[in-house]
mmCIF file of all heavy atoms in Angstrom:
data_model
loop_
_atom_site.group_PDB
_atom_site.id
_atom_site.type_symbol
_atom_site.label_atom_id
_atom_site.label_comp_id
_atom_site.label_asym_id
_atom_site.label_seq_id
_atom_site.Cartn_x
_atom_site.Cartn_y
_atom_site.Cartn_z
ATOM 1 N N GLU A 449 69.473 70.251 83.414
ATOM 2 C CA GLU A 449 69.978 68.912 83.727
ATOM 3 C C GLU A 449 68.857 67.878 83.786
ATOM 4 O O GLU A 449 69.084 66.692 83.541
ATOM 5 C CB GLU A 449 70.698 68.939 85.075
ATOM 6 C CG GLU A 449 71.922 69.856 85.096
ATOM 7 C CD GLU A 449 72.165 70.467 86.462
ATOM 8 O OE1 GLU A 449 72.160 69.713 87.451
ATOM 9 O OE2 GLU A 449 72.353 71.698 86.540
ATOM 10 N N LYS A 450 67.644 68.346 84.141
ATOM 11 C CA LYS A 450 66.506 67.427 84.290
ATOM 12 C C LYS A 450 65.262 68.072 83.698
ATOM 13 O O LYS A 450 65.048 69.273 83.848
ATOM 14 C CB LYS A 450 66.246 67.113 85.761
ATOM 15 C CG LYS A 450 67.441 66.524 86.510
ATOM 16 C CD LYS A 450 67.149 66.411 88.003
ATOM 17 C CE LYS A 450 68.381 65.995 88.788
ATOM 18 N NZ LYS A 450 68.121 65.941 90.244
ATOM 19 N N ILE A 451 64.446 67.247 83.041
ATOM 20 C CA ILE A 451 63.177 67.707 82.465
ATOM 21 C C ILE A 451 62.067 66.777 82.917
ATOM 22 O O ILE A 451 62.209 65.547 82.852
ATOM 23 C CB ILE A 451 63.214 67.713 80.927
ATOM 24 C CG1 ILE A 451 64.259 68.695 80.400
ATOM 25 C CG2 ILE A 451 61.834 68.059 80.353
ATOM 26 C CD1 ILE A 451 64.424 68.646 78.882
ATOM 27 N N VAL A 452 60.964 67.347 83.335
ATOM 28 C CA VAL A 452 59.732 66.586 83.534
ATOM 29 C C VAL A 452 58.680 67.202 82.630
ATOM 30 O O VAL A 452 58.421 68.410 82.704
ATOM 31 C CB VAL A 452 59.255 66.618 85.001
ATOM 32 C CG1 VAL A 452 57.877 65.968 85.132
ATOM 33 C CG2 VAL A 452 60.255 65.903 85.905
ATOM 34 N N ASP A 453 58.100 66.400 81.742
ATOM 35 C CA ASP A 453 56.988 66.901 80.935
ATOM 36 C C ASP A 453 55.695 66.250 81.409
ATOM 37 O O ASP A 453 55.687 65.108 81.882
ATOM 38 C CB ASP A 453 57.221 66.671 79.438
ATOM 39 C CG ASP A 453 56.901 65.261 78.960
ATOM 40 O OD1 ASP A 453 55.717 64.873 78.967
ATOM 41 O OD2 ASP A 453 57.837 64.529 78.557
ATOM 42 N N LEU A 454 54.621 67.012 81.330
ATOM 43 C CA LEU A 454 53.302 66.531 81.747
ATOM 44 C C LEU A 454 52.309 66.754 80.620
ATOM 45 O O LEU A 454 52.278 67.836 80.016
ATOM 46 C CB LEU A 454 52.803 67.264 82.995
ATOM 47 C CG LEU A 454 53.661 67.142 84.243
ATOM 48 C CD1 LEU A 454 54.614 68.336 84.335
ATOM 49 C CD2 LEU A 454 52.800 67.072 85.495
ATOM 50 N N ALA A 455 51.497 65.732 80.342
ATOM 51 C CA ALA A 455 50.569 65.849 79.219
ATOM 52 C C ALA A 455 49.376 64.926 79.400
ATOM 53 O O ALA A 455 49.504 63.819 79.919
ATOM 54 C CB ALA A 455 51.287 65.501 77.915
ATOM 55 N N THR A 456 48.228 65.416 78.972
ATOM 56 C CA THR A 456 47.052 64.555 78.815
ATOM 57 C C THR A 456 47.226 63.892 77.450
ATOM 58 O O THR A 456 46.595 64.283 76.475
ATOM 59 C CB THR A 456 45.766 65.407 78.858
ATOM 60 O OG1 THR A 456 45.929 66.529 77.968
ATOM 61 C CG2 THR A 456 45.486 65.921 80.248
ATOM 62 N N LEU A 457 48.095 62.886 77.393
ATOM 63 C CA LEU A 457 48.597 62.444 76.093
ATOM 64 C C LEU A 457 47.808 61.314 75.455
ATOM 65 O O LEU A 457 47.520 61.363 74.271
ATOM 66 C CB LEU A 457 50.076 62.062 76.204
ATOM 67 C CG LEU A 457 50.857 62.187 74.895
ATOM 68 C CD1 LEU A 457 50.899 63.627 74.408
ATOM 69 C CD2 LEU A 457 52.266 61.652 75.029
ATOM 70 N N THR A 458 47.463 60.279 76.238
ATOM 71 C CA THR A 458 46.855 59.107 75.580
ATOM 72 C C THR A 458 45.669 58.543 76.361
ATOM 73 O O THR A 458 45.692 58.475 77.588
ATOM 74 C CB THR A 458 47.887 57.966 75.408
ATOM 75 O OG1 THR A 458 48.250 57.449 76.691
ATOM 76 C CG2 THR A 458 49.131 58.453 74.682
ATOM 77 N N GLY A 459 44.665 58.103 75.615
ATOM 78 C CA GLY A 459 43.579 57.335 76.209
ATOM 79 C C GLY A 459 44.077 55.982 76.678
ATOM 80 O O GLY A 459 43.514 55.389 77.598
ATOM 81 N N ALA A 460 45.158 55.501 76.052
ATOM 82 C CA ALA A 460 45.719 54.199 76.424
ATOM 83 C C ALA A 460 46.162 54.181 77.873
ATOM 84 O O ALA A 460 46.049 53.154 78.560
ATOM 85 C CB ALA A 460 46.895 53.861 75.513
ATOM 86 N N CYS A 461 46.651 55.319 78.368
ATOM 87 C CA CYS A 461 47.104 55.369 79.758
ATOM 88 C C CYS A 461 45.908 55.307 80.713
ATOM 89 O O CYS A 461 46.002 54.736 81.803
ATOM 90 C CB CYS A 461 47.930 56.626 80.008
ATOM 91 S SG CYS A 461 49.055 56.474 81.403
ATOM 92 N N ILE A 462 44.786 55.886 80.304
ATOM 93 C CA ILE A 462 43.567 55.797 81.127
ATOM 94 C C ILE A 462 43.093 54.356 81.183
ATOM 95 O O ILE A 462 42.695 53.856 82.243
ATOM 96 C CB ILE A 462 42.443 56.701 80.567
ATOM 97 C CG1 ILE A 462 42.926 58.143 80.446
ATOM 98 C CG2 ILE A 462 41.203 56.627 81.457
ATOM 99 C CD1 ILE A 462 41.893 59.076 79.813
ATOM 100 N N VAL A 463 43.146 53.669 80.041
ATOM 101 C CA VAL A 463 42.737 52.254 80.002
ATOM 102 C C VAL A 463 43.639 51.428 80.918
ATOM 103 O O VAL A 463 43.175 50.554 81.652
ATOM 104 C CB VAL A 463 42.798 51.719 78.552
ATOM 105 C CG1 VAL A 463 42.571 50.212 78.527
ATOM 106 C CG2 VAL A 463 41.760 52.424 77.684
ATOM 107 N N ALA A 464 44.935 51.734 80.908
ATOM 108 C CA ALA A 464 45.892 50.948 81.688
ATOM 109 C C ALA A 464 45.784 51.219 83.184
ATOM 110 O O ALA A 464 45.831 50.284 84.001
ATOM 111 C CB ALA A 464 47.312 51.248 81.211
ATOM 112 N N LEU A 465 45.645 52.493 83.574
ATOM 113 C CA LEU A 465 45.775 52.868 84.989
ATOM 114 C C LEU A 465 44.511 53.459 85.595
ATOM 115 O O LEU A 465 44.481 53.745 86.794
ATOM 116 C CB LEU A 465 46.933 53.870 85.154
ATOM 117 C CG LEU A 465 48.322 53.360 84.751
ATOM 118 C CD1 LEU A 465 49.360 54.467 84.899
ATOM 119 C CD2 LEU A 465 48.717 52.146 85.589
ATOM 120 N N GLY A 466 43.479 53.664 84.809
ATOM 121 C CA GLY A 466 42.246 54.209 85.361
ATOM 122 C C GLY A 466 42.282 55.714 85.512
ATOM 123 O O GLY A 466 43.216 56.384 85.084
ATOM 124 N N PRO A 467 41.252 56.274 86.176
ATOM 125 C CA PRO A 467 41.086 57.731 86.194
ATOM 126 C C PRO A 467 41.887 58.482 87.245
ATOM 127 O O PRO A 467 41.917 59.704 87.208
ATOM 128 C CB PRO A 467 39.583 57.878 86.473
ATOM 129 C CG PRO A 467 39.252 56.678 87.304
ATOM 130 C CD PRO A 467 40.107 55.568 86.774
ATOM 131 N N SER A 468 42.536 57.784 88.175
ATOM 132 C CA SER A 468 43.168 58.519 89.275
ATOM 133 C C SER A 468 44.677 58.347 89.372
ATOM 134 O O SER A 468 45.311 58.919 90.250
ATOM 135 C CB SER A 468 42.536 58.113 90.618
ATOM 136 O OG SER A 468 42.723 56.735 90.860
ATOM 137 N N ILE A 469 45.273 57.588 88.451
ATOM 138 C CA ILE A 469 46.714 57.326 88.501
ATOM 139 C C ILE A 469 47.360 57.786 87.202
ATOM 140 O O ILE A 469 46.886 57.456 86.109
ATOM 141 C CB ILE A 469 47.007 55.832 88.726
ATOM 142 C CG1 ILE A 469 46.311 55.332 89.992
ATOM 143 C CG2 ILE A 469 48.513 55.581 88.812
ATOM 144 C CD1 ILE A 469 46.388 53.823 90.172
ATOM 145 N N ALA A 470 48.448 58.539 87.317
ATOM 146 C CA ALA A 470 49.210 58.972 86.146
ATOM 147 C C ALA A 470 50.344 58.003 85.881
ATOM 148 O O ALA A 470 50.957 57.475 86.811
ATOM 149 C CB ALA A 470 49.760 60.378 86.358
ATOM 150 N N GLY A 471 50.633 57.767 84.617
ATOM 151 C CA GLY A 471 51.755 56.914 84.246
ATOM 152 C C GLY A 471 53.016 57.740 84.066
ATOM 153 O O GLY A 471 52.967 58.832 83.494
ATOM 154 N N ILE A 472 54.140 57.250 84.566
ATOM 155 C CA ILE A 472 55.408 57.953 84.385
ATOM 156 C C ILE A 472 56.361 57.074 83.584
ATOM 157 O O ILE A 472 56.424 55.862 83.758
ATOM 158 C CB ILE A 472 56.044 58.386 85.726
ATOM 159 C CG1 ILE A 472 56.386 57.174 86.603
ATOM 160 C CG2 ILE A 472 55.125 59.336 86.465
ATOM 161 C CD1 ILE A 472 57.181 57.549 87.857
ATOM 162 N N PHE A 473 57.099 57.724 82.692
ATOM 163 C CA PHE A 473 58.026 57.033 81.803
ATOM 164 C C PHE A 473 59.369 57.744 81.878
ATOM 165 O O PHE A 473 59.446 58.956 81.649
ATOM 166 C CB PHE A 473 57.525 57.074 80.357
ATOM 167 C CG PHE A 473 56.160 56.471 80.144
ATOM 168 C CD1 PHE A 473 55.012 57.191 80.449
ATOM 169 C CD2 PHE A 473 56.020 55.193 79.619
ATOM 170 C CE1 PHE A 473 53.748 56.650 80.238
ATOM 171 C CE2 PHE A 473 54.757 54.646 79.404
ATOM 172 C CZ PHE A 473 53.621 55.374 79.724
ATOM 173 N N THR A 474 60.423 57.028 82.182
ATOM 174 C CA THR A 474 61.751 57.624 82.214
ATOM 175 C C THR A 474 62.813 56.541 82.119
ATOM 176 O O THR A 474 62.641 55.454 82.685
ATOM 177 C CB THR A 474 61.978 58.453 83.495
ATOM 178 O OG1 THR A 474 63.306 58.979 83.485
ATOM 179 C CG2 THR A 474 61.780 57.629 84.761
ATOM 180 N N PRO A 475 63.913 56.807 81.418
ATOM 181 C CA PRO A 475 65.027 55.860 81.432
ATOM 182 C C PRO A 475 65.913 56.026 82.663
ATOM 183 O O PRO A 475 66.825 55.237 82.876
ATOM 184 C CB PRO A 475 65.799 56.222 80.153
ATOM 185 C CG PRO A 475 65.456 57.646 79.879
ATOM 186 C CD PRO A 475 64.100 57.897 80.438
ATOM 187 N N SER A 476 65.632 57.036 83.495
ATOM 188 C CA SER A 476 66.477 57.350 84.647
ATOM 189 C C SER A 476 65.858 56.842 85.949
ATOM 190 O O SER A 476 64.822 57.342 86.389
ATOM 191 C CB SER A 476 66.697 58.868 84.745
ATOM 192 O OG SER A 476 67.296 59.210 85.969
ATOM 193 N N ASP A 477 66.507 55.880 86.575
ATOM 194 C CA ASP A 477 66.032 55.378 87.867
ATOM 195 C C ASP A 477 66.122 56.456 88.948
ATOM 196 O O ASP A 477 65.253 56.545 89.827
ATOM 197 C CB ASP A 477 66.849 54.152 88.302
ATOM 198 C CG ASP A 477 66.598 52.941 87.421
ATOM 199 O OD1 ASP A 477 65.553 52.908 86.733
ATOM 200 O OD2 ASP A 477 67.450 52.037 87.403
ATOM 201 N N ASP A 478 67.168 57.280 88.884
ATOM 202 C CA ASP A 478 67.337 58.338 89.884
ATOM 203 C C ASP A 478 66.202 59.349 89.804
ATOM 204 O O ASP A 478 65.643 59.758 90.825
ATOM 205 C CB ASP A 478 68.678 59.046 89.692
ATOM 206 C CG ASP A 478 69.869 58.172 90.053
ATOM 207 O OD1 ASP A 478 69.660 57.174 90.777
ATOM 208 O OD2 ASP A 478 70.990 58.479 89.611
ATOM 209 N N LEU A 479 65.863 59.767 88.594
ATOM 210 C CA LEU A 479 64.778 60.734 88.426
ATOM 211 C C LEU A 479 63.438 60.125 88.838
ATOM 212 O O LEU A 479 62.609 60.789 89.463
ATOM 213 C CB LEU A 479 64.724 61.229 86.980
ATOM 214 C CG LEU A 479 63.706 62.334 86.676
ATOM 215 C CD1 LEU A 479 63.914 63.539 87.574
ATOM 216 C CD2 LEU A 479 63.784 62.737 85.198
ATOM 217 N N ALA A 480 63.247 58.858 88.522
ATOM 218 C CA ALA A 480 62.015 58.171 88.928
ATOM 219 C C ALA A 480 61.886 58.178 90.449
ATOM 220 O O ALA A 480 60.806 58.474 90.990
ATOM 221 C CB ALA A 480 62.011 56.737 88.404
ATOM 222 N N SER A 481 62.984 57.895 91.142
ATOM 223 C CA SER A 481 62.953 57.879 92.609
ATOM 224 C C SER A 481 62.629 59.261 93.168
ATOM 225 O O SER A 481 61.852 59.393 94.115
ATOM 226 C CB SER A 481 64.306 57.407 93.153
ATOM 227 O OG SER A 481 64.569 56.082 92.755
ATOM 228 N N GLU A 482 63.221 60.299 92.572
ATOM 229 C CA GLU A 482 62.977 61.667 93.042
ATOM 230 C C GLU A 482 61.511 62.054 92.919
ATOM 231 O O GLU A 482 60.896 62.574 93.861
ATOM 232 C CB GLU A 482 63.814 62.658 92.211
ATOM 233 C CG GLU A 482 65.283 62.715 92.553
ATOM 234 C CD GLU A 482 66.010 63.771 91.729
ATOM 235 O OE1 GLU A 482 65.332 64.675 91.176
ATOM 236 O OE2 GLU A 482 67.243 63.700 91.638
ATOM 237 N N VAL A 483 60.937 61.828 91.739
ATOM 238 C CA VAL A 483 59.557 62.273 91.484
ATOM 239 C C VAL A 483 58.565 61.422 92.264
ATOM 240 O O VAL A 483 57.570 61.939 92.797
ATOM 241 C CB VAL A 483 59.260 62.257 89.972
ATOM 242 C CG1 VAL A 483 57.800 62.630 89.715
ATOM 243 C CG2 VAL A 483 60.183 63.224 89.239
ATOM 244 N N ILE A 484 58.820 60.139 92.374
ATOM 245 C CA ILE A 484 57.920 59.275 93.154
ATOM 246 C C ILE A 484 57.944 59.689 94.623
ATOM 247 O O ILE A 484 56.900 59.728 95.287
ATOM 248 C CB ILE A 484 58.297 57.787 92.968
ATOM 249 C CG1 ILE A 484 57.917 57.330 91.547
ATOM 250 C CG2 ILE A 484 57.605 56.916 94.012
ATOM 251 C CD1 ILE A 484 58.450 55.960 91.180
ATOM 252 N N ALA A 485 59.121 60.008 95.145
ATOM 253 C CA ALA A 485 59.218 60.476 96.537
ATOM 254 C C ALA A 485 58.423 61.763 96.729
ATOM 255 O O ALA A 485 57.737 61.935 97.744
ATOM 256 C CB ALA A 485 60.681 60.695 96.913
ATOM 257 N N ALA A 486 58.490 62.667 95.753
ATOM 258 C CA ALA A 486 57.717 63.910 95.827
ATOM 259 C C ALA A 486 56.224 63.633 95.805
ATOM 260 O O ALA A 486 55.443 64.263 96.526
ATOM 261 C CB ALA A 486 58.102 64.828 94.669
#
Side-chain angles (χ1 to χ4, degrees):
E449 298 149 49
K450 303 173 187 177
I451 297 175
V452 173
D453 81 68
L454 300 95
T456 49
L457 206 63
T458 67
C461 203
I462 304 176
V463 172
L465 298 177
S468 61
I469 304 172
I472 62 173
F473 302 80
T474 178
S476 169
D477 292 340
D478 290 341
L479 185 56
S481 297
E482 284 183 19
V483 176
I484 289 170

